[in-house]
Amino acid sequence: MIHHHTCCLCEANCGLLVEHDGEKVLSIRGNPDDVLSQGYICPKATALQDLHEDPDRLRQPMRRDGDSWSPVSWEEAMEEAASRLHQIQEAHGRDAVALYVGNPTVHNYASALALTFFRDVLNTRNAFSATSADQLPHMLAGFLMFGHQLLLPVPDLERTDLLLILGGNPLVSNGSIMTAPNMRRRLKQIQERGGAVVVLDPRKTQTAALADEHHFVRPGSDALVLLALLHTVFAEGRVDEGAWRSFSKGLEQVETLVQAFPPERVAEATGVDAGTLRALALRLCDTPRAAVYGRLGACTQAFGGLNGWLLNVLNIVTGHLDRPGGMMLTQPAVDLPEAASWLGQTGGFARWHSRVRGLPEFGGELPVSVLREEMETPGDGQIRALITHAGNPVLSTPNGEGLSKALEGLDFMVSLDPYITATSRHANLILPPPSPLERDHFALVFHALSVRNVVKYDGPVFANPTLHMDWETLLALGHGLARKRKGVKAIWDSLQLSVMRRFGMRGVLRLLFWGGREGPLRGLFRRRLTLRKVAREPNGIDLGPLQPCLPQRLFHRDKRVDLAPKPYLDDISRLERALEDGEFDRSGSLQLIGRRHLRSNNSWLHNSSRLVKGKPRCTLLMHPDDATERRLSDGQRVFVSSSVGQIEVTLCLSDEMMPGVVSLPHGWGHRDKGAKMQVANATEGASMNDLVDESFLDEMSGNAGLNGLRVQVAPVAPSKQLEQSVTVS
Ligand SMILES: Nc1nc2c(c(=O)[nH]1)N[C@H]1C(S)=C(S)[C@@H](COP(=O)(O)OP(=O)(O)OC[C@H]3O[C@@H](n4cnc5c(=O)[nH]c(N)nc54)[C@H](O)[C@@H]3O)O[C@H]1N2
Ligand SMILES: Nc1nc2c(c(=O)[nH]1)N[C@H]1C(S)=C(S)[C@@H](COP(=O)(O)OP(=O)(O)OC[C@H]3O[C@@H](n4cnc5c(=O)[nH]c(N)nc54)[C@H](O)[C@@H]3O)O[C@H]1N2
Ligand code: SF4
Ligand SMILES: [Mo]
């Protein structure tokens, strides 16, 4: 039997044909008729079978006793979790229980919806997520400039003639904040129609290799690049005269500010020469359909916040925002920003600050870089218990080793995770979800970030009534907590959650369709799309190319784009100081950046033999000149050390690296961190995040700095190394 499904592993959301015989998966292939992916899949799709069949995947709740684990019934586990969390909140206040929400949550509409209810009940200020180790700067820019944290422009790949990429490697990541399966084909199509792809990256990545132009850029210096591009646009009198001028404000402030950043001033610090910067700026102005797209590398650095803003500003003043072929906003059938605004949630910034370091809240969450200190620092509001949902912060967030130690000091921890991971192994209870093939799929978040407006819903491939979906576990836990509390709010929460548990998240989705822009409640001329209609189309429905939608889509009350929000203007002085103090200089130390691999997904999928086989992947890439300077050679074991830690890895020399920059993938080191995953534990690797100092971050937005960290590299046995080289010479 063949079942249509969608791969939930990354943002591309590729359509799948899953062939199965009863419970046995026979094959997983790309669906040639899928509305967006048209048959494309990457090697990870077939690993959905491995996930489904993995003997290490937990199939019932587990309770830890010291180092040993034993199964426990759902009823017992839920009761224990609810009462322990309740006791801790009663004794120490709501903030004593923290929540960390990881990346797979956004790939699961039902848990994303359930979390909004659960967070409301938990009511803690100590809420964290992978957002602050990822796209927070884009969301902050959406919030401050357009009035909604979920208004994130995506490149209109189908029509652009010039795509400038800063800090993204979509050929490997398959695109982020840009749902666009088959990036290779899409980038080649730009070239085939006479357009060009230009990449600014400290590594000549797979995407850079395919691009028409690649320039090395010094890690962390993108804000200077963007300011210099803007400088040129203004200095040459090339600011676009489009309609956006009538619904924006703050242009004069931007003009004044960029005057201080001529290309010549930033060339040395950025590693990009002034002529290149100037030519790039003019090319952007000369190309009617162009898009400047920045992603992870431009976010997770010391000036990530400024980058989020400057990327939008550059697109706006060159006339490339909200225009076909430029950076555009989506209008999906289930309109996430609008639905969130019905609930009064358009975002928020700096409404409160973290207790110890005073870093700002964003969207109701604190930066994950403060998680450890908020656990270890005594006082009111200290974190004493933690709930993790689909996250592995020990491997994925700064100072993982430090965090791992801090978790040992908690009074109670519960993890919703299919595995005993580096993080969940510290939990008292693990509550596992079903596999992705055992749940339905709707790309609630990624339809809102898709390069074309599409809509699609898939039912589960396998039905398994004994399993508890993440959403059910979350709502049951919230319900359990509410029932133990007293007062009007507790009664309301309890009532609301019991209705929601019965109604189900599919029911909420059905409602969202009704009120959505294509839904029956939106008038006669709409398509009257309902979930039922969508579910009848297993290949999905095309709703057409992205359409200009400003200023209507703005959420600011004055319906204007704010080009110059104050937090950004204030932060420019920090950038100025860094430039003046020589912080961008290469001073002997190396700068460490990350690297993704097509066959991996953050800290997971490492327990699939077919994905991890082959050459070791957790290697340190270094330019040969840097190796010669340090008398290091290819294939040698080295220590990489930083202000907070040291790891041992194998060195690989490669001229794809910018001199002075080294690269490591993150999410490895399962065995050292005590995970219980046979294949992952037998695979070589160490955790890059053991090196990342929590104080290396974007102080303005609070986003973690995961790229550009200063490190030292030394041979594992210096004396032996020296002996060898002396003998050779
Ligand atoms: N150094 C460095 N660090 C990084 C990055 C980097 O580039 N460099 N990237 C950052 C980014 S972009 C992100 S998004 C974060 C990711 O950070 P996290 O989200 O914390 O980490 P993941 O590795 O995605 O962990 C996902 C966990 O969820 C579990 N899981 C998978 N599916 C499900 C499910 O359906 N339900 C439940 N309950 N659990 C599930 C997996 O077993 C795994 O333990 O890492 C960040 N960390
Ligand atoms: N195969 C695979 N796919 C994935 C994931 C995965 O782990 N594996 N993770 C998923 C997740 S959670 C996310 S968020 C996306 C991320 O997807 P992308 O945003 O494409 O992220 P990366 O592939 O990490 O690419 C970041 C690039 O930034 C570069 N870089 C580092 N520092 C700097 C800098 O200071 N400036 C500039 N200009 N560039 C810099 C790096 O060299 C790298 O090429 O990928 C998703 N897709
Ligand atoms: S690119 Fe690969 S991992 Fe991403 S959705 Fe498609 S098949 Fe899945
Ligand atoms: Mo991410």
Side-chain angles (χ1 to χ4, degrees):
M1 187 175 172
I2 292 184
H3 196 110
H4 288 72
H5 206 58
T6 299
C7 178
C8 63
L9 293 173
C10 89
E11 299 179 37
N13 276 269
C14 300
L16 304 177
L17 296 176
V18 182
E19 192 182 354
H20 60 104
D21 182 6
E23 286 298 296
K24 177 82 192 129
V25 177
L26 299 176
S27 70
I28 298 182
R29 287 173 290 132
N31 172 8
D33 300 316
D34 183 89
V35 64
L36 203 61
S37 61
Q38 293 158 4
Y40 174 82
I41 49 167
C42 85
K44 290 188 290 300
T46 45
L48 286 170
Q49 176 178 5
D50 304 348
L51 272 179
H52 184 66
E53 294 168 359
D54 191 342
D56 289 335
R57 183 165 66 82
L58 305 176
R59 285 161 174 86
Q60 55 192 320
M62 301 293 279
R63 181 195 277 137
R64 181 171 59 81
D65 184 9
D67 278 341
S68 65
W69 291 89
S70 46
V72 52
S73 75
W74 275 99
E75 293 69 30
E76 215 180 308
M78 296 306 290
E79 175 50 32
E80 184 175 329
S83 32
R84 290 299 307 277
L85 295 171
H86 174 69
Q87 280 162 11
I88 291 167
Q89 286 197 316
E90 281 292 290
H92 304 285
R94 292 285 159 88
D95 299 341
V97 174
L99 173 68
Y100 174 86
V101 175
N103 168 273
T105 312
V106 285
H107 297 269
N108 181 339
Y109 83 91
S111 26
L113 290 174
L115 264 162
T116 59
F117 299 105
F118 180 71
R119 278 171 53 155
D120 189 44
V121 174
L122 196 63
N123 193 16
T124 177
R125 285 192 167 185
N126 280 316
F128 302 86
S129 80
T131 290
S132 53
D134 189 350
Q135 79 289 357
L136 193 155
H138 295 299
M139 294 177 70
L140 181 62
F143 176 67
L144 295 174
M145 300 180 73
F146 310 133
H148 200 305
Q149 62 175 0
L150 298 176
L151 279 188
L152 311 178
V154 300
D156 182 14
L157 291 182
E158 294 180 357
R159 292 177 287 189
T160 197
D161 293 323
L162 174 62
L163 179 67
L164 172 57
I165 304 179
L166 287 91
N169 184 13
L171 237 50
V172 168
S173 67
N174 280 301
S176 183
I177 313 200
M178 161 169 76
T179 290
N182 202 349
M183 280 304 304
R184 183 176 293 277
R185 196 195 72 204
R186 288 170 194 273
L187 295 184
K188 284 207 161 139
Q189 281 171 345
I190 297 176
Q191 295 169 326
E192 280 159 16
R193 60 176 178 260
V197 179
V198 179
V199 173
L200 288 175
D201 197 299
R203 182 177 148 233
K204 182 155 188 167
T205 59
Q206 296 83 340
T207 308
L210 181 143
D212 301 84
E213 241 181 72
H214 164 245
H215 305 282
F216 282 133
V217 62
R218 181 121 15 254
S221 70
D222 300 78
L224 295 173
V225 168
L226 294 166
L227 283 163
L229 295 178
L230 280 163
H231 175 97
T232 307
V233 174
F234 280 98
E236 301 286 331
R238 299 296 305 272
V239 177
D240 178 80
E241 292 294 336
W244 60 270
R245 281 171 175 259
S246 63
F247 56 83
S248 65
K249 59 184 181 192
L251 186 65
E252 303 70 30
Q253 279 149 297
V254 173
E255 178 167 21
T256 311
L257 184 145
V258 301
Q259 277 171 12
F261 297 92
E264 286 71 18
R265 183 173 177 219
V266 305
E268 202 183 324
T270 60
V272 189
D273 68 73
T276 303
L277 290 168
R278 197 160 273 125
L280 213 48
L282 293 178
R283 195 164 170 192
L284 274 176
C285 300
D286 289 339
T287 312
R289 295 185 165 199
V292 187
Y293 163 82
R295 220 9 227 118
L296 187 95
C299 287
T300 48
Q301 47 157 288
F303 296 99
L306 284 179
N307 292 337
W309 166 56
L310 292 169
L311 283 161
N312 282 343
V313 174
L314 184 58
N315 279 305
I316 294 170
V317 302
T318 52
H320 300 313
L321 186 87
D322 197 41
R323 292 246 183 103
M327 294 295 286
M328 301 193 75
L329 294 163
T330 65
Q331 290 163 291
V334 171
D335 192 341
L336 199 58
E338 202 178 77
S341 80
W342 298 339
L343 304 171
Q345 293 178 1
T346 52
F349 178 53
R351 289 169 295 184
W352 63 86
H353 290 81
S354 71
R355 185 178 59 108
V356 179
R357 223 189 309 172
L359 288 174
E361 155 273 350
F362 175 72
E365 294 176 353
L366 289 172
V368 74
S369 298
V370 309
L371 181 55
R372 181 181 67 93
E373 69 204 28
E374 292 295 332
M375 288 179 188
E376 288 183 337
T377 314
D380 261 7
Q382 180 185 3
I383 298 172
R384 291 160 193 273
L386 174 69
I387 305 163
T388 66
H389 177 269
N392 193 358
V394 167
L395 294 187
S396 291
T397 69
N399 193 358
E401 182 58 25
L403 182 64
S404 183
K405 295 207 174 89
L407 295 179
E408 284 170 21
L410 289 175
D411 293 346
F412 183 69
M413 177 170 161
V414 52
S415 289
L416 280 73
D417 204 288
Y419 291 103
I420 300 178
T421 67
T423 300
S424 67
R425 72 144 175 130
H426 294 283
N428 301 79
L429 289 167
I430 303 181
L431 308 170
S435 91
L437 299 179
E438 290 166 327
R439 61 172 200 243
D440 62 346
H441 182 86
F442 179 74
L444 180 67
V445 174
F446 299 108
H447 283 339
L449 301 174
S450 174
V451 296
R452 205 175 161 84
N453 288 317
V454 295
V455 63
K456 189 180 173 213
Y457 172 85
D458 310 277
V461 178
F462 302 116
N464 191 334
T466 62
L467 287 164
H468 291 221
M469 301 286 168
D470 278 323
W471 71 265
E472 293 176 298
T473 307
L474 286 167
L475 294 190
L477 196 55
H479 199 192
L481 270 176
R483 274 192 304 208
K484 290 181 192 306
R485 293 180 185 157
K486 295 192 185 70
V488 180
K489 165 97 166 73
I491 297 170
W492 166 246
D493 284 345
S494 181
L495 196 73
Q496 193 189 11
L497 286 174
S498 84
V499 172
M500 283 304 156
R501 288 176 75 183
R502 224 163 277 168
F503 199 50
M505 294 303 103
R506 193 166 181 272
V508 175
L509 183 60
R510 202 174 294 137
L511 278 184
L512 290 174
F513 265 99
W514 269 76
R517 58 184 295 273
E518 305 283 347
L521 295 181
R522 290 302 182 92
L524 287 172
F525 302 107
R526 295 290 170 186
R527 262 174 266 235
R528 296 177 159 258
L529 277 186
T530 57
L531 181 56
R532 190 193 294 247
K533 268 194 196 167
V534 173
R536 264 193 245 126
E537 300 291 340
N539 302 317
I541 301 172
D542 186 18
L543 302 175
L546 305 182
Q547 300 285 348
C549 56
L550 293 184
Q552 300 83 344
R553 196 117 169 89
L554 298 173
F555 283 78
H556 282 314
R557 228 175 264 151
D558 63 2
K559 290 280 174 204
R560 282 172 157 220
V561 176
D562 190 354
L563 292 173
K566 187 164 183 304
Y568 297 126
L569 302 182
D570 292 349
D571 202 36
I572 287 288
S573 56
R574 188 169 61 95
L575 181 69
E576 279 277 6
R577 263 199 317 279
L579 185 59
E580 291 310 310
D581 294 351
E583 277 179 34
F584 294 99
D585 297 350
R586 277 189 64 188
S587 49
S589 68
L590 294 157
Q591 278 182 288
L592 177 66
I593 61 166
R595 175 170 98 242
R596 282 177 157 74
H597 194 284
L598 190 61
R599 290 171 171 269
S600 169
N601 198 19
N602 295 326
S603 80
W604 65 303
L605 301 187
H606 297 164
N607 214 37
S608 157
S609 309
R610 77 174 113 189
L611 287 186
V612 295
K613 69 176 184 224
K615 280 196 288 185
R617 247 179 256 155
C618 187
T619 53
L620 183 79
L621 292 188
M622 181 186 273
H623 190 276
D625 293 352
D626 288 322
T628 309
E629 215 174 277
R630 288 166 181 77
R631 303 174 78 183
L632 298 171
S633 50
D634 194 47
Q636 155 177 29
R637 296 289 285 174
V638 290
F639 283 129
V640 188
S641 53
S642 72
S643 47
V644 293
Q646 173 170 291
I647 61 172
E648 188 187 320
V649 287
T650 302
L651 182 69
C652 268
L653 302 189
S654 165
D655 55 15
E656 68 189 46
M657 292 311 300
M658 181 177 192
V661 184
V662 288
S663 154
L664 266 178
H666 74 282
W668 294 89
H670 303 272
R671 186 187 47 224
D672 297 350
K673 293 280 189 296
K676 292 206 188 312
M677 291 186 269
Q678 289 174 52
V679 178
N681 285 0
T683 308
E684 184 181 322
S687 179
M688 171 187 183
N689 282 320
D690 283 355
L691 299 172
V692 180
D693 190 330
E694 299 108 319
S695 64
F696 176 62
L697 86 176
D698 175 28
E699 286 164 27
M700 193 273 290
S701 69
N703 206 39
L706 305 168
N707 284 286
L709 182 82
R710 300 275 171 175
V711 292
Q712 305 287 340
V713 179
V716 160
S719 50
K720 244 192 194 157
Q721 192 69 32
L722 204 64
E723 260 168 43
Q724 277 173 0
S725 60
V726 170
T727 334
V728 171
S729 59

